[in-house]
Amino acid sequence: MKRIFNKLAHVSLMAAAGFGSLAHAANDLPGGPAVRQLNLPTPATKIAEEQYFLHTMMMVMCTVIFVAVFAVMFYSIWKHRKSKGYKPANFHESVTVEVIWTIVPFVIVVLMALPATKVLVAQKDTTNADLTIKTTGYQWKWGYDYITGEGQGLSFISTLLNEHRVMSNEGAKGTIPDNYLLEVDNPLVVPVDKKIRIITTANDVIHAFAVPAFGIKQDAIPGFVRDTWFRAEKTGDFYGQCQELCGKEHAYMPIHVKVVSAEEYTQWVDVQRKKAAAKLDDPAKVWALPDLVKRGEKVYAANCAACHQANGKGAGPIKALDGSPVVLAENHNEQIDVLLKGRMDKGMPSWKQLSDTDIAAVATYTKNNWSNKTGQLIQPSEVLAERSK
């Protein structure tokens, strides 16, 4: 028995040492999760502060009620136990008792309901927004469209940084960054102290747009439009994740919101507009194969590698591109159609937001990479023709 106890003690110490080393390997992430976090995250909006207060108030009230009720109950059991000769009282229909146990719970409910209702109504007030952004959930990434306000017309896809996906595939070994599985290629950029209305929808299955530091969580449902809002009171990086189980890549669908000053936001909008203008290549331009493949490699790494993998082999329900009959086909229409319209039943989102040149480039890249040495080339004019149908 003693030997067994010693072995168990040794295992416990080893486990404790292991957990300790794991804890020291990570640091708190400002705007994101903290090591051994037990409470709600530090609020960055007024709504989140109110939610934090409600959470604390409810916990205190419930704790006081719990202690009071059980204290009276255990006192009564102990003080009036049968072994001391106490006889049970024989009474009923005490008006005083009935009034007390009716009024006291009513007062408690009112004390809870008033502040909770105030916060709930404020959470749904999306009027008079300075900026409106539509967020579309895809398996497994987010699309952002700036609908109104400064930056109107901007649109991009936000995907988990490919380096983090590679780390995950390799078992998360070595030095792991604090924002592991939370860093994206294109964060959602918004100005500080401005009311941001978020419209949510989805392209395939139900997702949920949630940023705990802002106190927001709104389901994104295919065919429906929902909305929420936030007003960040400080600059910085804030993180969230999809909070609806949306498929096998659910864990790789982070949300990264970058809050900047008004001046920095204006500069960012100018840069993004220039980038968008640069992407508006002439669809009539005839490209050479090496140039189009080189451009397609960048488009693939930014948008496709997270699901189809860098080696083009896919995984699980994600179809492989290496050796795919659709990719190898001499008739390019089906591949272009898949890229433009997606295949919702197979987890493939639509990429129609990409330019004709980018779609032609990534399709050409897949036709001439890995074992796909077809020598085929898709010109932007072919994509334009297919898009026009």
Side-chain angles (χ1 to χ4, degrees), residues 33 72 140 155 159 187-188 219 221 274 291 345:
V72 171
W140 288 268
S155 177
T159 307
L188 177 64
D219 283 355
I221 306 173
K274 291 176 181 177
D291 295 333
D345 58 330

Side-chain angles (χ1 to χ4, degrees), residues 339-352:
L339 288 167
L340 286 174
K341 299 178 182 178
R343 292 292 184 269
M344 291 180 60
D345 58 330
K346 298 179 180 178
M348 173 68 179
S350 166
W351 290 98
K352 63 183 179 181

Side-chain angles (χ1 to χ4, degrees), residues 47 51 54 113-125 229:
I47 289 292
Q51 292 173 349
L54 281 174
L114 286 179
T117 302
K118 177 183 175 183
V119 174
L120 187 62
V121 171
Q123 284 180 198
K124 297 305 296 179
D125 181 15
W229 71 276

Side-chain angles (χ1 to χ4, degrees), residues 257-275:
V257 181
K258 192 176 187 66
V259 182
V260 298
S261 65
E263 296 77 13
E264 290 175 317
Y265 180 72
T266 299
Q267 294 172 5
W268 177 81
V269 169
D270 291 339
V271 171
Q272 295 305 308
R273 289 197 188 282
K274 291 176 181 177
K275 287 183 178 180

